[in-house]
Amino acid sequence: MAFKQLIAALSVVLSLQAAQAAVVKSKRAACSNGASVSDESCCAWFDVLDDIQQNLFNGAQCGAEAHESIRLVFHDAIAISPALEAQGQFGGGGADGSIMIFDSVETAFQANVGLDEIVQLQKPFVAKHNVTPGDFIAFAGAVAMSNCPGAPQMNFFTGRAPATQAAPDGLVPEPFDDVTKIINRVNDAGQFDELELVWMLSAHSVAASNDIDPTVQGLPFDSTPGIFDSQFFVESQLRGTLFPGSGGNQGEVESGIPGEMRLQSDSLIARDSRTACEWQSFVNNQSKLTSDFQFIFLALTQLGQNPDVMTDCSAVIPLSKPIPGNGPFSFFPAGTSIADVEQACASTPFPSLTTLPGPATSVAHIPPPPGA
């Protein structure tokens, strides 16, 4: 979706919301817990919420299970290709739960390495609560994000029918893909442009490696992996060393910060002339970060679906906690400074940030989900 189309679409949505507000309010249903929702069917999701917060997310934590649940949303949704459909081939169903229904096929794809663990953790909840895999993946991802302080208020719609076919291989971008290939892939999937690609990658603010390099596990992509903030966009622009691109280091860049991992694709997108200024725009700009990610998450979870026949159950999703301390703000990790930034945006100077005091310290690893 081109940027101008996006602005127009958002304007239409806001106008419709204003016009329909009184009608929606009069039609809201009350659940047994006292919550007000848009439709009575949403009430059942409160039981799912209580269950996964306690038994999947370890008491509503923004840990490895939450990170992998967010990653699962993207890998399920982006596997759709109108270009393949136009050639008479099956192009995948988008956000339809195929990665869970046909997990023996899709989690074997190179791009989906490591997702078999979170799929196996989520499957029992799908069976227990008798919901569709597509709806559950979107729900778990929204709840997972809400567990991370600083995250936007997430949206969740129901109504995804179970997938009937596995998605084709090759539709999920990989860390060693070049920038043009990744831009073309997301454009094919949902007419997303290069700016919206950057918005998608905001999810890496609360992410860590899982089987990207078989020799290490749980290396975060920034120094605040339990907080949805803009540190990922700062630290991915610091100097690093590109690995050769083969073997266990394929798709990695040495981050320059002990204990961190940087994906090669993130490093390249942060420095590409088509995306660098949008990447930098998130530094010290929490409001833009949250609003843009809120939009793109909803768009991803509706790929392959008809939004007009879906039910808005967003009221079930909890609000995230505020960022602790004096945040949100961006900073240079201890031992780094503006001198370490590889300035890539030609039109705007890099923001002036403070450096944390003290010697450089290693970022703690995040234990992978059980069974990883």
Side-chain angles (χ1 to χ4, degrees), residues 303-322:
L303 283 178
Q305 307 297 320
N306 179 2
D308 294 336
V309 299
M310 302 183 80
T311 301
D312 184 357
C313 292
S314 302
V316 183
I317 306 299
L319 296 178
S320 68
K321 296 177 181 179

Side-chain angles (χ1 to χ4, degrees), residues 22-267:
V23 177
V24 171
K25 184 175 180 181
S26 66
K27 292 183 177 180
R28 295 187 72 83
C31 303
S32 60
N33 63 356
S36 175
V37 293
S38 65
D39 188 89
E40 186 178 3
S41 64
C42 300
C43 293
W45 287 95
F46 282 107
D47 291 335
V48 187
L49 173 66
D50 292 342
D51 194 2
I52 66 174
Q53 288 286 55
Q54 186 62 39
N55 300 308
L56 178 61
F57 298 134
N58 304 307
Q61 297 297 308
C62 183
E65 293 80 7
H67 297 173
E68 289 298 288
S69 293
I70 297 166
R71 180 183 175 219
L72 187 63
V73 170
F74 177 81
H75 285 243
D76 184 49
I78 205 69
I80 184 171
S81 173
L84 286 180
E85 294 285 350
Q87 297 169 16
Q89 305 176 53
F90 177 62
D96 62 355
S98 66
I99 197 170
M100 182 177 292
I101 297 171
F102 302 98
D103 56 317
S104 62
V105 176
E106 291 194 37
T107 63
F109 298 161
Q110 176 62 35
N112 294 333
V113 63
L115 284 173
D116 53 321
E117 293 103 2
I118 193 63
V119 167
Q120 292 308 312
L121 287 175
Q122 289 190 6
K123 268 189 167 185
F125 297 98
V126 172
K128 177 180 178 180
H129 295 283
N130 193 29
V131 295
T132 67
D135 280 352
F136 184 85
I137 289 172
F139 182 72
V143 174
M145 184 57 72
S146 76
N147 290 341
C148 303
Q153 182 176 6
M154 304 307 296
N155 294 298
F156 168 62
F157 284 67
T158 65
R160 298 166 187 81
T164 58
Q165 288 181 252
D169 196 3
L171 297 183
V172 179
E174 301 203 51
F176 47 80
D177 289 342
D178 63 55
V179 179
T180 297
K181 182 176 180 181
I182 296 174
I183 290 175
N184 289 342
R185 175 76 279 276
V186 299
N187 181 260
D188 174 34
Q191 293 187 338
F192 299 119
D193 64 18
E194 63 274 11
L195 303 185
E196 292 160 318
L197 166 62
V198 176
W199 302 359
M200 294 177 198
L201 294 174
S202 301
H204 286 181
S205 172
V206 284
S209 66
N210 183 9
D211 294 319
I212 296 169
D213 183 339
T215 65
V216 292
Q217 289 283 347
L219 294 182
F221 297 157
D222 72 3
S223 59
T224 58
I227 300 174
F228 186 77
D229 61 7
S230 59
Q231 274 310 111
F232 166 70
F233 291 97
V234 175
E235 294 167 27
S236 56
Q237 292 184 79
L238 302 179
R239 299 185 191 283
T241 302
L242 188 64
F243 283 116
S246 61
N249 296 127
Q250 188 175 23
E252 292 177 46
V253 174
E254 188 177 273
S255 72
I257 298 175
E260 277 189 24
M261 175 184 285
R262 187 182 306 165
L263 299 183
Q264 176 181 314
S265 52
D266 287 343
S267 184

